[in-house]
Amino acid sequence: KTMQHRLFQSLLTQFATKRHVERKIVKANARHLYNIIQNVDEYHEFLPLCTSSKIFRSAGNVFDASLTVGLPPLFTEEFVSRVTHDSHQLLIETTSLKSKLFEKLESRWKLTPTEKCDETHVDFWMELTVNDPIIVAALDIVLEEIAGRQVEAFEKRCQEIPYNINDDNNNLN
Protein backbone atom coordinates (compact mmCIF):
# COMPACT_ATOMS: atom_id res chain seq x y z
CA LYS A 1 0.00 0.00 0.00
CA THR A 2 1.18 3.47 -0.75
CA MET A 3 1.71 6.01 1.99
CA GLN A 4 -1.12 8.12 0.57
CA HIS A 5 -3.47 5.15 0.70
CA ARG A 6 -2.54 4.42 4.35
CA LEU A 7 -2.99 8.07 5.27
CA PHE A 8 -6.39 8.22 3.57
CA GLN A 9 -7.44 4.99 5.30
CA SER A 10 -6.36 6.30 8.70
CA LEU A 11 -8.34 9.49 8.13
CA LEU A 12 -11.44 7.42 7.49
CA THR A 13 -11.13 5.61 10.82
CA GLN A 14 -10.39 8.65 12.97
CA PHE A 15 -12.98 9.50 15.59
CA ALA A 16 -14.05 13.10 15.89
CA THR A 17 -15.82 14.56 18.90
CA LYS A 18 -18.00 17.62 18.49
CA ARG A 19 -19.40 19.62 21.39
CA HIS A 20 -21.89 22.40 21.63
CA VAL A 21 -23.23 24.36 24.58
CA GLU A 22 -26.43 26.37 24.38
CA ARG A 23 -27.11 28.83 27.22
CA LYS A 24 -30.18 31.00 27.26
CA ILE A 25 -33.12 32.28 29.24
CA VAL A 26 -36.26 30.41 28.19
CA LYS A 27 -39.76 31.79 28.70
CA ALA A 28 -41.09 28.81 30.67
CA ASN A 29 -41.43 27.67 34.26
CA ALA A 30 -38.39 25.53 35.17
CA ARG A 31 -40.42 22.62 36.56
CA HIS A 32 -42.71 22.64 33.51
CA LEU A 33 -39.73 22.62 31.14
CA TYR A 34 -38.14 19.79 33.14
CA ASN A 35 -41.32 17.69 32.86
CA ILE A 36 -41.46 18.20 29.10
CA ILE A 37 -37.76 17.36 28.60
CA GLN A 38 -38.04 14.09 30.50
CA ASN A 39 -41.20 13.09 28.59
CA VAL A 40 -39.31 11.35 25.78
CA ASP A 41 -42.42 9.47 24.60
CA GLU A 42 -43.71 12.71 23.05
CA TYR A 43 -40.48 13.97 21.39
CA HIS A 44 -41.61 12.78 17.95
CA GLU A 45 -44.61 15.15 18.23
CA PHE A 46 -42.54 18.34 18.37
CA LEU A 47 -38.76 17.86 18.08
CA PRO A 48 -37.23 18.66 14.69
CA LEU A 49 -35.76 15.60 12.94
CA CYS A 50 -37.26 13.18 15.53
CA THR A 51 -39.56 10.67 13.83
CA SER A 52 -40.01 8.17 16.67
CA SER A 53 -39.49 8.22 20.46
CA LYS A 54 -40.36 5.63 23.08
CA ILE A 55 -39.37 4.90 26.67
CA PHE A 56 -39.10 1.11 26.95
CA ARG A 57 -37.48 0.50 30.36
CA SER A 58 -37.75 2.55 33.52
CA ALA A 59 -36.48 2.17 37.09
CA GLY A 60 -36.53 5.04 39.57
CA ASN A 61 -34.85 8.10 38.11
CA VAL A 62 -33.30 6.21 35.15
CA PHE A 63 -34.92 5.07 31.93
CA ASP A 64 -33.90 3.77 28.52
CA ALA A 65 -35.46 5.23 25.40
CA SER A 66 -35.35 4.49 21.69
CA LEU A 67 -35.28 7.45 19.31
CA THR A 68 -35.25 7.68 15.54
CA VAL A 69 -33.93 10.85 13.96
CA GLY A 70 -33.28 11.90 10.40
CA LEU A 71 -34.70 13.12 7.16
CA PRO A 72 -36.44 10.14 5.60
CA PRO A 73 -35.79 8.89 2.95
CA LEU A 74 -32.34 10.55 2.88
CA PHE A 75 -31.14 9.12 6.18
CA THR A 76 -32.46 7.84 9.48
CA GLU A 77 -30.70 6.73 12.63
CA GLU A 78 -32.25 4.77 15.46
CA PHE A 79 -30.41 4.81 18.75
CA VAL A 80 -30.97 3.87 22.37
CA SER A 81 -30.14 6.27 25.17
CA ARG A 82 -30.02 5.95 28.93
CA VAL A 83 -31.59 8.95 30.62
CA THR A 84 -30.94 9.93 34.23
CA HIS A 85 -33.08 12.67 35.73
CA ASP A 86 -33.04 14.50 39.03
CA SER A 87 -36.17 16.53 39.71
CA HIS A 88 -34.66 18.27 42.75
CA GLN A 89 -31.64 19.59 40.84
CA LEU A 90 -33.65 20.00 37.58
CA LEU A 91 -30.97 17.99 35.79
CA ILE A 92 -31.38 15.53 32.90
CA GLU A 93 -28.43 13.62 31.42
CA THR A 94 -28.40 11.20 28.50
CA THR A 95 -25.84 8.86 27.04
CA SER A 96 -26.21 6.63 24.01
CA LEU A 97 -26.09 2.89 24.59
CA LYS A 98 -26.54 1.66 21.04
CA SER A 99 -26.10 3.54 17.77
CA LYS A 100 -24.75 2.78 14.30
CA LEU A 101 -23.91 6.39 13.50
CA PHE A 102 -22.60 7.72 16.80
CA GLU A 103 -19.72 6.22 18.76
CA LYS A 104 -20.95 8.39 21.63
CA LEU A 105 -23.87 10.78 22.00
CA GLU A 106 -24.36 12.58 25.29
CA SER A 107 -26.43 15.51 26.40
CA ARG A 108 -27.08 17.39 29.61
CA TRP A 109 -29.86 19.78 30.55
CA LYS A 110 -29.38 21.89 33.67
CA LEU A 111 -32.33 24.15 34.46
CA THR A 112 -32.14 27.01 36.93
CA PRO A 113 -35.21 29.03 37.89
CA THR A 114 -34.85 32.79 37.62
CA GLU A 115 -36.52 35.41 39.82
CA LYS A 116 -39.48 35.29 37.43
CA CYS A 117 -41.57 32.13 37.81
CA ASP A 118 -42.13 31.92 34.04
CA GLU A 119 -38.43 32.09 33.06
CA THR A 120 -35.65 29.51 33.28
CA HIS A 121 -31.93 29.70 32.69
CA VAL A 122 -31.09 26.73 30.45
CA ASP A 123 -27.66 25.15 30.10
CA PHE A 124 -27.88 22.55 27.33
CA TRP A 125 -24.72 20.66 26.41
CA MET A 126 -24.34 17.99 23.75
CA GLU A 127 -21.34 15.96 22.66
CA LEU A 128 -21.16 13.57 19.73
CA THR A 129 -18.35 11.27 18.67
CA VAL A 130 -18.45 9.86 15.14
CA ASN A 131 -16.00 8.11 12.86
CA ASP A 132 -17.54 8.95 9.47
CA PRO A 133 -15.71 11.90 7.86
CA ILE A 134 -18.85 12.94 5.96
CA ILE A 135 -20.84 13.11 9.21
CA VAL A 136 -17.97 15.01 10.87
CA ALA A 137 -18.05 17.60 8.09
CA ALA A 138 -21.84 17.87 8.31
CA LEU A 139 -21.71 18.32 12.10
CA ASP A 140 -19.28 21.20 11.67
CA ILE A 141 -22.00 22.96 9.69
CA VAL A 142 -25.22 22.03 11.51
CA LEU A 143 -24.51 21.12 15.16
CA GLU A 144 -25.01 24.64 16.54
CA GLU A 145 -28.24 25.06 14.59
CA ILE A 146 -29.59 21.65 15.68
CA ALA A 147 -28.88 22.37 19.36
CA GLY A 148 -30.51 25.80 19.11
CA ARG A 149 -33.56 24.34 17.40
CA GLN A 150 -33.91 21.72 20.11
CA VAL A 151 -33.96 24.30 22.89
CA GLU A 152 -36.47 26.39 20.91
CA ALA A 153 -38.68 23.34 20.32
CA PHE A 154 -38.86 22.60 24.07
CA GLU A 155 -39.61 26.26 24.81
CA LYS A 156 -42.41 26.26 22.23
CA ARG A 157 -43.78 22.99 23.63
CA CYS A 158 -44.01 24.64 27.07
CA GLN A 159 -46.15 27.39 25.53
CA GLU A 160 -48.43 24.82 23.83
CA ILE A 161 -48.97 22.60 26.87
CA PRO A 162 -50.47 24.38 29.87
CA TYR A 163 -48.46 24.14 33.07
CA ASN A 164 -50.25 22.16 35.77
CA ILE A 165 -48.62 22.34 39.19
CA ASN A 166 -50.26 18.98 40.07
CA ASP A 167 -47.97 17.35 37.46
CA ASP A 168 -45.02 18.25 39.69
CA ASN A 169 -46.39 16.21 42.57
CA ASN A 170 -46.78 13.16 40.31
CA ASN A 171 -43.32 13.39 38.65
CA LEU A 172 -40.98 13.78 41.59
CA ASN A 173 -38.39 11.01 41.75
Side-chain angles (χ1 to χ4, degrees), residues 19-163:
R19 291 178 191 90
H20 180 72
V21 176
E22 191 80 17
R23 289 188 173 103
K24 71 181 279 189
I25 301 291
V26 168
K27 192 113 177 95
N29 175 281
R31 180 78 45 197
H32 185 42
L33 181 57
Y34 172 86
N35 291 342
I36 285 174
I37 294 168
Q38 75 163 2
N39 188 2
V40 173
D41 282 335
E42 293 184 6
Y43 280 15
H44 67 278
E45 295 177 16
F46 69 95
L47 261 186
L49 307 178
C50 183
T51 57
S52 172
S53 55
K54 183 72 180 151
I55 296 171
F56 63 87
R57 185 178 313 127
S58 183
N61 68 329
V62 177
F63 61 84
D64 293 344
S66 171
L67 287 99
T68 304
V69 297
L71 295 168
L74 298 175
F75 94 94
T76 59
E77 167 68 357
E78 182 177 354
F79 60 94
V80 174
S81 288
R82 173 143 305 144
V83 180
T84 305
H85 55 96
D86 183 328
S87 64
H88 303 292
Q89 292 187 31
L90 298 174
L91 179 67
I92 299 170
E93 297 177 312
T94 70
T95 187
S96 59
L97 300 177
K98 184 175 117 181
S99 170
K100 293 179 198 141
L101 185 63
F102 306 111
E103 292 298 319
K104 181 173 77 169
L105 171 59
E106 296 180 334
S107 68
R108 181 178 191 267
W109 292 87
K110 176 62 180 138
L111 310 177
T112 308
T114 66
E115 302 78 40
K116 299 180 181 179
C117 71
D118 66 341
E119 283 186 355
T120 303
H121 183 267
V122 173
D123 278 307
F124 174 63
W125 168 87
M126 70 184 327
E127 181 174 288
L128 304 95
T129 301
V130 295
N131 67 356
D132 182 328
I134 295 170
I135 300 298
V136 171
L139 286 174
D140 283 341
I141 297 167
V142 301
L143 184 58
E144 185 175 336
E145 183 178 336
I146 289 171
R149 280 183 162 183
Q150 274 198 305
V151 173
E152 288 171 8
F154 283 105
E155 182 176 21
K156 184 177 178 197
R157 185 71 169 181
C158 284
Q159 308 308 318
E160 295 170 353
I161 308 255
Y163 176 53

